[in-house]
């Protein structure tokens, strides 16, 4: 459960940053010493997948995340860190403005959300839900609940992907000698019907789609991060081709992606302009959980 849930929390305003630095330096952070016997030094790490034999992976240096800590023995305090920014040093540790954190003896629920890049967009949470998360963002999330702090402690934040990822490739049919792609369009999940739940690390699937959008990139491959969604996406490929019989062709082929996107899943989408104006779309899906991917999962095949 979360506490003080009806407050509205705003992240990353400049005024709040400076206020937080001053307050947290006095209340929560130290510069190498602890001057109160009830305060304990806490080191946050970003190790992934501790089940892999003696292999550890860190968030890249400079990767920023939001940190939310709730004192379960003082629920009226709500989020005591006011969603502080922490940054990976690239060697497995996470710091805020160069400081480590100190916490009093208690039991805590700790949550962290990152966009897996070197900045964090302004986010607004209400009832611990972030309305209308964005496509194009690799959201990663970690949680450690019921953490007992009675002395110096290491807290491992095991981040996992909670958005969807599509790796799209256009395949040249056997009847073509060559093909040049003009553009690739894709309908996207509409963020207006989606939200991100900070407590359980899930993105509620979008119920509607946008109009087709041209995907950035060149050649026959595209990569895009998307929100989970209930409707099937539609892909459109516009191209010029030279057939094996010497005939030139300018065409647009469309197809349906035969899966409903789920959070934490990576999809390999192969599109082949089989018979104009239809395209054959084949999808391989695999778990896409830890950061980076450290386990190979069996793939499921979908086609239409």
């Amino acid at each position: 459960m979360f506490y003080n849930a009806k407050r509205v929390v705003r992240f990353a305003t400049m005024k709040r940053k400076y206020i937080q630095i001053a307050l947290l330096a006095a209340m929560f952070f130290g510069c190498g010493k602890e001057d109160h016997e009830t305060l304990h030094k806490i080191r946050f790490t970003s190790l992934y997948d501790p089940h892999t034999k003696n292999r550890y992976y860190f968030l890249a240096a400079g990767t920023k995340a939001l940190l939310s800590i709730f004192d379960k023995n003082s629920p009226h305090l709500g989020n005591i860190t006011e969603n502080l920014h922490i940054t990976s040093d690239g060697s497995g540790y996470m710091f805020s403005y160069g400081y480590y954190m100190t916490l009093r003896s208690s039991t805590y629920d700790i949550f962290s959300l990152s966009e897996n890049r070197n900045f964090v967009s302004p986010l607004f949470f209400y009832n611990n839900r972030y309305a209308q998360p964005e496509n194009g963002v690799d959201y990663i999330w970690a949680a450690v609940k019921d953490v007992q702090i009675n002395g110096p402690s290491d807290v491992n934040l095991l981040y996992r992907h909670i958005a969807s990822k599509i790796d799209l490739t256009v395949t040249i049919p056997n009847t073509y000698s060559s093909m040049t792609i003009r553009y690739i369009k894709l309908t996207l999940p509409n963020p207006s019907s989606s939200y991100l739940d900070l407590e359980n690390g899930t993105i509620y699937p979008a119920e509607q789609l946008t109009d087709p959008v041209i995907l950035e990139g060149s050649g026959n491959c595209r990569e895009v991060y998307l929100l989970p969604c209930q409707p099937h996406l539609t892909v459109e490929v516009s191209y010029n081709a030279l057939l094996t019989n010497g005939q030139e062709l300018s065409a647009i082929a469309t197809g349906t992606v035969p899966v409903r996107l789920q959070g934490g899943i990576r999809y390999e989408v192969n599109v082949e302009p089989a018979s104009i104006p239809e395209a054959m779309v084949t999808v391989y899906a695999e778990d896409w959980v830890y950061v980076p991917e450290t386990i190979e999962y069996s793939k499921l095949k979908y086609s239409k």
Side-chain angles (χ1 to χ4, degrees), residues 14-277:
M14 292 302 295
K15 182 177 180 181
R16 171 171 289 177
K17 273 188 180 178
Y18 294 117
I19 293 174
Q20 284 181 340
I21 294 172
L23 290 177
L24 293 173
M27 296 176 64
F28 298 109
F29 293 93
C31 298
K33 66 177 183 178
E34 299 169 358
D35 58 0
H36 195 290
E37 62 181 3
T38 62
L39 294 178
H40 309 295
K41 179 180 176 180
I42 309 300
R43 297 193 307 177
F44 288 97
T45 66
S46 61
L47 302 177
Y48 338 102
D49 195 9
H51 304 295
T52 303
K53 295 180 180 179
N54 300 319
R55 295 176 65 188
Y56 299 95
Y57 297 85
F58 311 136
L59 286 180
T63 301
K64 295 187 181 298
L66 300 168
L67 186 68
S68 301
I69 299 181
F70 296 83
D71 186 342
K72 300 189 74 171
N73 294 325
S74 302
H76 62 281
L77 294 178
N79 182 1
I80 63 174
T81 59
E82 289 292 336
N83 301 287
L84 188 72
H85 288 191
I86 54 177
T87 304
S88 171
D89 68 354
S91 64
Y93 294 104
M94 307 283 286
F95 296 97
S96 179
Y97 306 108
Y99 295 98
Y100 61 76
M101 173 171 279
T102 57
L103 291 173
R104 301 181 186 278
S105 296
S106 190
T107 303
Y108 298 92
D109 284 344
I110 301 173
F111 303 88
S112 184
L113 177 67
S114 172
E115 297 176 350
N116 205 12
R117 53 190 177 187
N118 61 2
F119 66 92
V120 179
S121 302
L123 304 175
F124 299 88
F125 275 76
Y126 180 73
N127 284 346
N128 301 300
R129 292 179 175 180
Y130 169 46
Q132 300 185 26
E134 299 178 2
N135 292 302
V137 178
D138 180 13
Y139 292 104
I140 58 175
W141 173 90
V144 187
K145 298 185 179 181
D146 296 319
V147 180
Q148 299 285 341
I149 301 297
N150 296 309
S153 304
D154 285 353
V155 177
N156 180 33
L157 298 173
L158 179 61
Y159 289 92
R160 63 179 177 86
H161 298 278
I162 59 174
S164 307
K165 183 184 181 185
I166 284 184
D167 291 316
L168 188 149
T169 302
V170 178
T171 303
I172 302 177
N174 293 331
T175 55
Y176 292 7
S177 295
S178 63
M179 182 170 64
T180 301
I181 295 175
R182 294 193 295 266
Y183 64 76
I184 301 174
K185 287 185 177 181
L186 188 68
T187 54
L188 306 181
N190 192 325
S192 64
S193 58
S194 179
Y195 64 84
L196 189 156
D197 191 312
L198 184 62
E199 181 177 8
N200 58 33
T202 57
I203 299 176
Y204 183 82
E207 298 175 352
Q208 300 174 335
L209 298 176
T210 67
D211 292 333
V213 174
I214 295 178
L215 300 180
E216 295 183 359
S218 59
N220 67 328
C221 296
R222 301 290 187 274
E223 177 185 89
V224 61
Y225 301 102
L226 297 176
L227 302 174
C229 68
Q230 296 179 12
H232 292 172
L233 307 183
T234 299
V235 60
E236 176 183 312
V237 180
S238 175
Y239 64 95
N240 296 320
L242 178 65
L243 279 60
T244 54
N245 62 8
Q247 179 182 354
E248 294 182 352
L249 176 68
S250 179
I252 296 176
T254 61
T256 300
V257 179
V259 293
R260 292 181 172 87
L261 299 187
Q262 300 179 47
I265 302 294
R266 185 178 74 88
Y267 300 91
E268 295 180 7
V269 178
N270 297 306
V271 182
E272 181 177 335
S275 58
I276 307 304

